[in-house]
Amino acid sequence: MAGFLDHDIFPTATTNPFRMLDRAAVAGLVRKAPDERWYLWPGFAFFNLGRLPTDRLNFGRDWLDGFDTGGLNWHCLYRALGNEDLCAADYERTAVAADVAMDEALFERIDGWLHESRFTTDIDMAPARRQQLLELKRRSILHTLMALPA
């Protein structure tokens, strides 16, 4: 088994993400294209290597097809898998704070994990506002992690 986690994703409870592979070949956060092609976001992706139909994975970007990092695995892996081979992680977007718009800054909750990223890419955002949002996110993450049982 192998897995990938993004640098800014944190467990919010005792967890074993490989448990999702008990009945699946791949597990993680599914990203879809409009035509129903899909791939796992490599920031939360797990593989039961013994159940994969190939050992030639490609985590490159497939910009031409609208896929980000890991998208090239569609051609060599994902298109050969059925629904029974996938365990999709739960996913929701949550506000950083009640008074912060989701398009400015948000968290992602992925199967019990907290993903810090997802700032807006609006180049017009004032640096001071960006710094304020970053600090708000850091405080919120620390508060969440400090509240976990020891």
Side-chain angles (χ1 to χ4, degrees), residues 21-82:
L21 296 174
D22 288 346
R23 58 191 185 280
V26 298
L29 180 59
V30 176
R31 301 280 194 209
K32 290 185 176 181
D35 63 2
E36 295 304 311
R37 286 175 303 134
W38 60 276
Y39 67 104
L40 294 179
W41 174 61
F44 195 81
F46 305 93
F47 303 88
N48 186 329
L49 301 175
R51 292 184 182 171
L52 300 184
T54 183
D55 62 358
R56 301 189 50 87
L57 301 177
N58 186 338
F59 288 93
R61 295 178 178 141
D62 190 354
W63 291 117
L64 294 176
D65 285 333
F67 284 173
D68 198 353
T69 304
L72 285 176
N73 279 323
W74 167 255
H75 302 287
C76 61
L77 173 62
Y78 300 128
R79 71 178 175 177
L81 299 178

Side-chain angles (χ1 to χ4, degrees), residues 64-114:
L64 294 176
D65 285 333
F67 284 173
D68 198 353
T69 304
L72 285 176
N73 279 323
W74 167 255
H75 302 287
C76 61
L77 173 62
Y78 300 128
R79 71 178 175 177
L81 299 178
N83 287 338
E84 69 280 359
D85 298 313
L86 169 66
C87 181
D90 293 331
Y91 175 79
E92 72 175 306
R93 296 166 20 134
T94 61
V96 171
D99 60 339
V100 176
M102 294 272 275
D103 64 343
E104 272 197 308
L106 60 94
F107 288 118
E108 294 177 309
R109 291 263 182 194
I110 304 169
D111 201 51
W113 295 62
L114 182 66

